[in-house]
Amino acid sequence: MKASRVFFKRPWIIIALCVILTGVFGFFITGLGIDNSIRQFLPQKDSSYTRLTQTEDQFGSMIVIGVSLESKKGTVLTPQNIEVVRKITDRVLELPQIEGVDSLTHIDYVCENDGSISASQLIPETYTGSEEDIAQLESRLAEWSEMYNRVIVNDDNTATQMQITVHSMTPKEKAESKITDAERQQKILEQVRQVVVEECKDQPLEYKIYGDPVVAESARKFMISDLCA
């Protein structure tokens, strides 16, 4: 009892201890990171998660950022809109950590060539934006609707979407990385969003961006908002 009285009669000791403890525990906050990637919530020791990673090793990443472009008036299949899709696709393909893009201007088209089946591009290299080229594109989309309808274009051709595949980090890359996978995906998302915003500026198109990285971004914002409230 006497010791406790002596202790509480010296408030500077209490203040000093609080400062020291705050400094010790606060030191580790500098390395604190928030990882809200969807995969963090999956049972990573479960066999289903193992199959997921094995499938990615065999067939490629399953982390996708989607971009939807909808025409403000009429069909999206105009030379102007197609050029926007092409520019977005080409610029995104130049970004690091991007494995590929499936879009109106960058997707396979299987056709007959000299009696054999050949894979070319849906929009060929000879495309010039002429009425004949647009008519050919519409014909190809209608001819193979099972492949393209609701995948690249919607039912009435007023909107198109592209799928951007993001590189999936290996366990070794995660261990050596200085940032979390969620932070990496966030940076990639910001780069993709910047490209879309710049290319859609002053164009007759409305855009939407979606996918796992977008969900993780929203979750991160909600979590930070709750912590700061």
Side-chain angles (χ1 to χ4, degrees):
M1 293 293 291
K2 290 183 178 180
S4 63
R5 291 197 198 97
V6 172
F7 180 77
F8 286 111
K9 283 182 178 179
R10 292 174 173 79
W12 62 269
I13 298 178
I14 301 175
I15 296 173
L17 285 173
C18 289
V19 171
I20 292 171
L21 290 174
T22 301
V24 171
F25 292 112
F27 173 78
F28 299 99
I29 295 179
T30 57
L32 182 66
I34 299 177
D35 190 346
N36 282 101
S37 59
I38 303 301
R39 297 195 179 188
Q40 285 295 106
F41 303 97
L42 299 178
Q44 299 188 12
K45 294 183 179 181
D46 191 82
S47 59
S48 60
Y49 188 84
T50 303
R51 287 196 296 272
L52 171 64
T53 56
Q54 290 175 344
T55 302
E56 283 192 322
D57 290 339
Q58 295 177 5
F59 298 100
S61 173
M62 296 183 186
I63 303 173
V64 174
I65 298 175
V67 178
S68 172
L69 302 174
E70 184 175 2
S71 175
K72 295 179 181 178
K73 52 181 180 179
T75 178
V76 74
L77 302 178
T78 66
Q80 182 180 4
N81 294 336
I82 292 172
E83 184 62 20
V84 172
V85 174
R86 185 185 300 279
K87 287 181 178 179
I88 292 175
T89 305
D90 289 342
R91 289 184 61 185
V92 169
L93 283 170
E94 293 177 354
L95 298 176
Q97 301 289 314
I98 298 298
E99 290 191 356
V101 180
D102 289 327
S103 70
L104 186 65
T105 59
H106 289 66
I107 193 169
D108 289 341
Y109 175 75
V110 178
C111 59
E112 184 273 335
N113 184 18
D114 294 332
S116 61
I117 296 177
S118 175
S120 60
Q121 288 289 300
L122 177 64
I123 297 180
E125 294 181 359
T126 56
Y127 167 85
T128 61
S130 65
E131 292 184 5
E132 292 77 12
D133 289 339
I134 297 298
Q136 182 191 53
L137 174 59
E138 292 175 343
S139 175
R140 287 184 168 188
L141 290 171
E143 179 183 344
W144 203 0
S145 60
E146 295 84 358
M147 173 67 177
Y148 303 118
N149 193 34
R150 299 190 181 185
V151 176
I152 294 299
V153 292
N154 63 349
D155 291 336
D156 55 4
N157 292 342
T158 58
T160 183
Q161 71 172 350
M162 59 184 70
Q163 295 187 2
I164 302 165
T165 304
V166 179
H167 171 67
S168 179
M169 295 178 72
T170 64
K172 182 180 179 181
E173 288 174 330
K174 289 182 179 180
E176 296 176 350
S177 177
K178 295 181 180 179
I179 60 175
T180 66
D181 191 30
E183 291 172 330
R184 178 187 70 98
Q185 292 183 32
Q186 177 64 42
K187 288 185 177 181
I188 298 170
L189 175 60
E190 290 171 354
Q191 292 173 331
V192 171
R193 182 181 288 123
Q194 181 179 355
V195 170
V196 174
V197 170
E198 290 176 358
E199 295 300 337
C200 289
K201 185 178 180 181
D202 300 325
Q203 299 293 337
L205 293 167
E206 294 180 351
Y207 67 86
K208 294 179 182 177
I209 302 175
Y210 47 91
D212 287 352
V214 179
V215 175
E217 178 187 55
S218 298
R220 179 185 179 88
K221 288 180 180 178
F222 288 138
M223 180 175 288
I224 293 176
S225 175
D226 290 341
L227 292 172
C228 296

